[in-house]
């Protein structure tokens, strides 16, 4: 995988009717279900992924191949309020992370990592936002 891949784990996944999920669906090719190492928390009506070194901490989501990665990533940066002009610390940071597809193919993809404290937020122990 390379920088044209995006791992999503929340409201941008298939099945959500959000305008940004629709933009992703129109502008990218679904590669497959995937997972990465991390912990998932319920922030409000959306989740936040926090990085973890524990191999038992897994977050499940989907990987997409962006047809116009630079333009789309700018759009998603604005949606996640982590693009230019947002006050620091931003709620999310875009990071390249190792991901594993359901067929066990490993690679890397961009994703949005939660950047604010998770104290008091409920953890989604299954690592699956849709099971929350």
């Amino acid at each position: 995988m390379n920088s044209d891949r995006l791992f999503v784990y929340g409201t941008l996944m298939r099945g959500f009717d959000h305008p940004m999920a629709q933009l992703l669906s129109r502008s990218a090719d679904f590669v497959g279900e995937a997972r990465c190492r991390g912990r998932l928390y319920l922030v409000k009506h959306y989740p936040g992924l926090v990085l973890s070194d524990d191999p038992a901490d897994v977050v499940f989501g989907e990987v997409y191949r962006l047809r116009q990665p630079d333009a789309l990533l700018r759009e998603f940066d604005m949606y996640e309020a982590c693009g230019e002009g947002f006050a620091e610390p931003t709620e999310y940071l875009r990071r390249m992370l190792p991901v594993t597809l359901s067929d066990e193919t490993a690679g890397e993809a961009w994703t949005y990592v939660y950047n604010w404290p998770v104290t008091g937020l409920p953890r989604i122990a299954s690592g699956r936002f849709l099971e929350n």
Side-chain angles (χ1 to χ4, degrees):
M1 291 187 191
N2 54 36
S3 62
D4 69 347
R5 305 296 167 108
L6 178 66
F7 174 76
V8 297
Y9 54 86
T11 57
L12 295 179
M13 291 190 300
R14 294 173 301 161
F16 283 88
D17 196 29
H18 190 281
M20 294 305 284
Q22 293 172 2
L23 173 66
L24 181 60
S25 176
R26 283 192 314 271
S27 307
D29 301 312
F30 176 73
V31 174
E33 294 181 358
R35 65 186 184 275
C36 73
R37 188 173 297 169
R39 293 183 180 140
L40 203 57
Y41 292 87
L42 184 61
V43 178
K44 292 182 183 168
H45 60 280
Y46 57 89
L49 163 70
V50 176
L51 301 179
S52 172
D53 291 329
D54 186 342
D57 291 336
V58 179
V59 172
F60 297 89
E62 302 170 342
V63 171
Y64 289 83
R65 185 187 62 77
L66 307 175
R67 294 185 201 123
Q68 295 180 332
D70 293 339
L72 282 170
L73 288 170
R74 277 193 302 275
E75 288 285 328
F76 290 119
D77 285 354
M78 294 301 289
Y79 171 64
E80 300 292 357
C82 68
E84 274 187 42
F86 289 98
E88 298 285 335
T90 57
E91 187 175 14
Y92 289 90
L93 300 171
R94 178 165 42 99
R95 295 288 182 256
M96 184 68 74
L97 295 181
V99 296
T100 305
L101 293 169
S102 56
D103 68 1
E104 298 305 314
T105 303
E108 291 188 324
W110 290 112
T111 197
Y112 290 90
V113 175
Y114 194 67
N115 191 40
W116 287 352
V118 294
T119 306
L121 294 179
R123 182 166 175 204
I124 302 171
S126 70
R128 296 179 189 274
F129 177 60
L130 294 175
E131 289 180 3
N132 182 46

